[in-house]
Amino acid sequence: MKLQFAAWPEVEEYLRANAGIIVPIGSTEQHGPTGLMGTDYIIPSAMAEAISERTGICCTPPITFGMAQHHLGFPGTISLRPSTYVSVLVDVIQSLARHGFRRIVFLNGHGGNIAPVLTAMNEFYAGISFHREGGHRDVLCKLISWWTPPKTAAEITEIFGDGDGAHATASEIAVTQFLHSRYIKPVSADLRPARKGAVSDIHNAYDYRDRFIDGRIGSDVRLCTPEGGQRVFDVATDEIAEECMAFFSS
Ligand code: NI
């Protein structure tokens, strides 16, 4: 069930038999000269919908903005500050908990979201812990960043190797090529190799743009194909569906 297409009695009915929900989260940010601005929410959103269609699990619409301040040196990037993002996430958890959802998976598409998501979960748990008679003590949250489960990570390495990189990765761009082939951007013949590095080396938008001039970190976008993207999407969707089902029945 996709929440945006459900009427409230359907949600009420779902909650009689189910406790789990998937919330896709991502970012609207630069992904180099060929990657889509929406890459980081398009992918987890499509995965959540595929899992929902297969299993009947409820998923929400994506939270399309995230914590992307370091990408603001590139036009089009929209960022929430970390404190704003944590507040948004806590309010989403509180809303779902109020209705009776007891297992909430944040299916994430952006590395910069990881710290604020974990903080939001702890904010929510702290709210429970400070009250001896507090409700929602049985509500558990889980973060899954789609590229991290072991079979998915192995598939990415097998297809893209070192050329996957750390930002605007070959794998994520390939998955968007599979999902939205009409928006595939041509790779120009004079594209220079992306400088290698780690996202953790970056502090702010100025230092990012100075050091990684086209926005990519270590990714070889010549490796991207819709076929490679489909392989990653299929493995990830299977693996994440299993992980969600195990969590929802825990
Ligand atoms: Ni990304």
Side-chain angles (χ1 to χ4, degrees):
M1 181 169 72
K2 296 171 198 167
L3 192 70
Q4 64 268 44
F5 300 120
W8 73 259
E10 295 174 282
V11 180
E12 190 171 73
E13 180 66 26
Y14 174 88
L15 281 163
R16 287 202 185 97
N18 301 278
I21 190 162
I22 302 175
V23 182
I25 59 172
S27 180
T28 299
E29 70 183 40
Q30 70 87 12
H31 274 75
T34 63
L36 308 184
M37 207 63 73
T39 299
D40 288 356
Y41 77 82
I42 288 170
I43 296 173
S45 185
M47 288 176 174
E49 292 195 353
I51 293 167
S52 175
E53 277 161 21
R54 192 186 310 171
T55 62
I57 288 173
C58 187
C59 69
T60 73
I63 302 176
T64 56
F65 301 133
M67 209 304 284
Q69 59 81 12
H70 46 304
H71 294 289
L72 282 167
F74 298 89
T77 299
I78 296 173
S79 181
L80 304 178
R81 66 188 61 222
S83 54
T84 305
Y85 191 44
V86 169
S87 298
V88 168
L89 293 165
V90 171
D91 288 356
V92 169
I93 299 170
Q94 294 281 14
S95 302
L96 294 172
R98 185 187 199 283
H99 301 312
F101 289 98
R102 289 294 174 263
R103 295 290 181 274
I104 300 165
V105 168
F106 287 100
L107 182 52
N108 177 40
H110 172 50
N113 288 346
I114 292 172
V117 173
L118 296 175
T119 300
M121 291 178 186
N122 280 308
E123 278 287 333
F124 172 73
Y125 296 144
I128 299 166
S129 301
F130 279 121
H131 298 281
R132 290 181 67 87
E133 306 304 325
H136 301 330
R137 66 185 62 186
D138 53 344
V139 176
L140 303 180
C141 304
K142 184 179 178 73
L143 170 64
I144 303 176
S145 294
W146 69 260
W147 63 94
T148 59
K151 286 180 206 156
T152 305
E155 189 76 2
I156 290 170
T157 302
E158 190 183 312
I159 301 172
F160 303 102
D162 268 358
D164 195 45
H167 182 68
T169 61
S171 53
E172 64 181 340
I173 291 175
V175 174
T176 62
Q177 290 182 341
F178 160 60
L179 294 170
H180 296 286
S181 58
R182 63 187 286 213
Y183 296 114
I184 295 176
K185 321 281 182 198
V187 177
S188 89
D190 57 359
L191 185 82
R192 292 163 61 190
R195 183 175 161 188
K196 296 205 182 296
V199 179
S200 56
D201 298 340
I202 298 159
H203 304 98
N204 61 49
Y206 300 97
D207 128 54
Y208 192 134
R209 179 118 196 198
D210 287 346
R211 294 166 60 203
F212 301 98
I213 52 171
D214 75 4
R216 292 174 300 152
I217 303 179
S219 79
D220 184 351
V221 294
R222 295 167 306 178
L223 302 174
C224 301
T225 62
E227 295 73 24
Q230 179 166 16
R231 279 175 59 186
V232 171
F233 184 87
D234 289 347
V235 171
T237 304
D238 284 351
E239 194 173 21
I240 294 165
E242 267 178 43
E243 206 172 323
C244 288
M245 298 309 277
F247 178 58
F248 292 164
S249 60
S250 68

